[in-house]
Amino acid sequence: MGKTPLDEQIANALVNNAVNDGFLISVNDSDETAVNRSRNVTEITNAMFSANTDTLTLNVEEHRVGEVTLIYDRGGKGLDVISDHTDIPHINRLVQYTMKQFGL
């Protein structure tokens, strides 16, 4: 198993959208935190995709706002790469906007 091209495109769009919304992002691949509170899109995306799952923790300044869990190559043709996310309005809009970019 591994990421599909659509998985990667959706995950990268989510990161770009989150950074543009002002979030600091931490990346955890279930073993370790590879990036801690960054707005550097290249640093964030380079830390992703080393495992089948990434958890992106979204922060505003020092405050944790929520998480988005990405699971790659689940057979849903990208429809389910965003497996779970914190159910608050701003993160819901972020996820919906990202999925809408792909017609999903």
Side-chain angles (χ1 to χ4, degrees):
M1 286 183 77
K3 67 182 177 348
T4 67
L6 185 56
D7 289 345
E8 186 172 8
Q9 290 171 6
I10 293 169
N12 287 337
L14 178 73
V15 167
N16 277 307
N17 293 335
V19 167
N20 288 336
D21 279 355
F23 286 111
L24 293 161
I25 301 175
S26 299
V27 179
N28 185 296
D29 66 4
S30 74
D31 288 332
E32 64 180 71
T33 300
V35 170
N36 193 25
R37 293 188 182 130
S38 177
R39 283 195 177 105
N40 183 318
V41 172
T42 301
E43 177 185 33
I44 295 163
T45 56
N46 283 344
M48 296 168 59
F49 312 114
S50 64
N52 288 331
T53 303
D54 283 314
T55 300
L56 306 181
T57 302
L58 305 178
N59 298 279
V60 175
E61 300 304 325
E62 298 296 317
H63 303 285
R64 181 185 168 279
V65 176
E67 294 182 344
V68 177
T69 302
L70 305 168
I71 300 178
Y72 308 115
D73 196 18
R74 295 177 70 191
K77 297 186 172 115
L79 296 173
D80 54 1
V81 67
I82 298 175
S83 172
D84 195 14
H85 64 280
T86 303
D87 186 16
I88 61 171
H90 197 83
I91 294 178
N92 289 338
R93 283 191 301 275
L94 171 68
V95 169
Q96 289 169 356
Y97 177 77
T98 300
M99 297 305 282
K100 192 176 200 179
Q101 288 179 283
F102 293 89
L104 305 174

